[in-house]
Amino acid sequence: MRTGRAVAILAGLAVAVSACGNAPTTSQPTESAPAASESAGGKTLEGVTLEVAAKWTGEEQKNFEQVLKAFSDKTGAKVTYASTGEDTGAYLGPRIQGGSPPDVAILPQPGLVQQYADQDALKPLTEDVTKEIDANYTEYWKELGSADGQVYGVLIKAAHKSLVWYRSNAFEEAGVQPPTTWDELVKAGQTIADSGTPPFSFCGASGWTLTDLFENVYLSSAGPEKYDQLSKHEIPWTDPSVATALEKIAQIASKKEFVAGGTSGALQTDFPTCVTKVYGEDEAAMVIEADFVAVTAEESGAKVGEEAKYFPFPKVGDTAPVVLGGDVAVAMKDSPGAMALLQFLASKEGGEIWAKLPGYLSPNKNVSPDNYPNELTKQLGQTIISAGESVRYDMSDLAPSAFGGTDGKGEWKVLQDFLRDPSDVKGAQEALEAEAKKAWK
């Protein structure tokens, strides 16, 4: 969750983290098929008007409108933007029912692709758009934009969820270094606790943060194949692989001295308050969450790259986890203009225009991290590329919302109950499976 909250996450950050090397593309992009505007040697979308609906507001909207302007300048099409607000479904539903959907919609969850495909509200992508996706994305990202074997969507924007943010002076005072494995994380946590500071600030009141924690542990310990199976409920939540992941989480959640405010305090701490406990109030050393922690850390007075640093989520098993959130562009009207825009958004050219602006990460493998405006985003972009076929999408956002996206219900509530009593692994598994069965009817 919270993939769309990075409105100006990295905007204006004078990031002083260590530089990463140049990142060559993992494959050579093919020449884009000529858009409708170029096939006749001119702007043949001149006079065409398109409406694009997305949840973005503020700086994030302004940045996206710069991308749309680049498309307009290239094609001659006039593009207008409509903000859906946080509840994309509530905005699009009445418009679909009324027969007046936007030409293109940006969906914050891939699960909505299947939902709207089932309603015949989406238009299949043309061959030219599909070729663009094949040139610039792994097969996994293509599948996330598909429903029943038909490609409908393009993954155009990502949020990086496999990070652990830490307060540098807390690590220095305890004499620990950023860990690279889960065992090292537990050991470092104990050393920090012994120095007098709780190592972790949990955002337990925001259940989606607990799903992010589980997903990273599970992807690393169980591997990508099992991750895919669990995300589709092809294996039950009572599977031994789930027990392994929950047992790992219990290693840090069950120790009273490890959790700022104890269990009860953690369950009353939401996001972003959990971040201010690390940086504004110095009550903990680490918070496990995505790239958008950066903006709250800065608001708390910690400079990113100095007081506020991060390390990749430690390996629990054989896989270095890279879990992403993201947004999917789909066509709701069957028009050359809509398809031309989706082809542009899927292209290396469109991705690089957006990458030069703050607060953006691209899932397009041919958008070099060298395009990003600061070192933080360059490093995160390189991580996405380096993960290759092992990168995975936020599991809870792939699930039916009744299971993976509803406050106080489903996976959110069960994991909150597990944080309350990390000793009951079996009970948590049985509760998760019961909720999953209801959601996947």
Side-chain angles (χ1 to χ4, degrees):
M1 302 299 291
R2 292 192 63 92
T3 57
R5 289 287 189 177
V7 176
I9 293 162
L10 309 173
L13 295 183
V15 184
V17 293
S18 59
C20 66
N22 292 337
T25 58
T26 57
S27 66
Q28 290 300 315
T30 60
E31 289 296 323
S32 299
S37 62
E38 300 173 309
S39 59
K43 295 184 177 181
T44 59
L45 291 183
E46 201 82 58
V48 172
T49 300
L50 298 172
E51 182 187 23
V52 180
K55 68 188 295 184
W56 303 318
T57 59
E59 290 302 313
E60 197 168 26
Q61 175 182 331
K62 291 177 182 177
N63 289 341
F64 182 53
E65 287 176 332
Q66 289 190 51
V67 180
L68 296 178
K69 182 180 183 300
F71 171 75
S72 296
D73 291 344
K74 180 176 182 177
T75 66
K78 180 181 179 182
V79 186
T80 59
Y81 178 86
S83 177
T84 66
E86 283 298 311
D87 194 337
T88 301
Y91 176 90
L92 291 176
R95 293 197 58 178
I96 293 170
Q97 293 169 11
S100 60
D103 295 271
V104 172
I106 314 297
L107 307 179
Q109 295 168 287
L112 292 174
V113 175
Q114 182 70 59
Q115 176 181 319
Y116 290 129
D118 289 343
Q119 298 174 18
D120 294 324
L122 304 183
K123 305 304 177 183
L125 300 185
T126 62
E127 184 179 353
D128 284 343
V129 183
T130 303
K131 285 181 178 178
E132 200 72 58
I133 293 172
D134 289 339
N136 296 311
Y137 293 82
T138 66
E139 186 66 24
Y140 178 74
W141 295 115
K142 183 178 179 180
E143 291 175 2
L144 287 181
S146 302
D148 302 321
Q150 177 65 57
V151 187
Y152 291 102
V154 182
L155 269 289
I156 58 171
K157 192 173 189 289
H160 199 305
K161 295 195 162 197
S162 297
L163 304 175
V164 180
W165 291 82
Y166 68 99
R167 183 161 45 86
S168 58
N169 62 353
F171 271 45
E172 290 166 4
E173 289 170 4
V176 299
Q177 296 296 318
T180 59
T181 68
W182 186 261
D183 288 344
E184 289 177 0
L185 177 67
V186 175
K187 183 178 179 180
Q190 188 63 62
T191 303
I192 293 168
D194 292 343
S195 74
T197 299
F200 297 102
S201 175
F202 284 114
C203 328
S206 299
W208 56 268
T209 66
L210 302 180
T211 71
D212 288 349
L213 171 59
F214 173 81
E215 288 153 9
N216 276 287
V217 174
Y218 190 79
L219 176 57
S220 186
S221 60
E225 184 177 348
K226 281 274 192 180
Y227 187 98
D228 292 343
Q229 292 172 343
L230 187 62
S231 70
K232 300 172 185 175
H233 199 216
E234 293 176 349
I235 58 174
W237 284 80
T238 51
D239 190 86
S241 62
V242 177
T244 297
L246 293 175
E247 287 164 359
K248 292 293 184 181
I249 294 172
Q251 289 180 346
I252 61 174
S254 62
K255 295 186 177 183
K256 183 178 180 181
E257 71 272 22
F258 270 33
V259 182
T263 298
S264 60
L267 287 166
Q268 296 176 51
T269 303
D270 66 2
F271 186 95
T273 306
C274 55
V275 181
T276 63
K277 284 184 176 294
V278 175
Y279 296 112
E281 301 169 9
D282 293 356
E283 292 183 11
M286 290 177 274
V287 60
I288 302 170
E289 249 315 317
D291 54 297
F292 43 71
V293 164
V295 66
T296 305
E298 288 260 324
E299 290 171 350
S300 299
K303 187 168 183 176
V304 174
E306 294 182 8
E307 299 95 336
K309 295 183 178 181
Y310 74 88
F311 54 87
F313 196 97
K315 288 178 66 174
V316 185
D318 295 333
T319 302
V322 177
V323 176
L324 302 181
D327 302 279
V328 189
V330 296
M332 292 191 154
K333 289 184 179 178
D334 192 6
S335 68
M339 291 299 163
L341 177 57
L342 291 181
Q343 184 178 351
F344 180 76
L345 293 174
S347 70
K348 181 174 182 286
E349 175 189 1
E352 287 184 345
I353 290 169
W354 208 345
K356 291 180 172 64
L357 304 172
Y360 174 77
L361 288 171
S362 177
N364 185 322
K365 65 185 178 183
N366 289 313
V367 173
S368 168
D370 290 339
N371 289 283
Y372 294 119
N374 56 54
E375 293 301 332
L376 176 59
T377 43
K378 285 180 181 178
Q379 290 184 16
L380 296 177
Q382 178 59 53
T383 302
I384 295 172
I385 288 176
S386 299
E389 298 290 341
S390 294
V391 67
R392 285 297 181 269
Y393 197 91
D394 183 306
M395 187 188 295
S396 63
D397 281 353
L398 296 174
S401 61
F403 180 76
T406 304
D407 192 17
K409 296 182 179 180
E411 186 184 7
W412 292 22
K413 182 181 185 302
V414 176
L415 290 181
Q416 287 172 326
D417 290 343
F418 179 67
L419 181 61
R420 187 175 289 109
D421 181 12
S423 67
D424 190 9
V425 171
K426 183 179 179 181
Q429 284 187 271
E430 291 172 347
L432 286 164
E433 179 59 15
E435 293 294 327
K437 281 182 177 179
K438 289 190 292 185
W440 265 276
K441 282 183 179 179

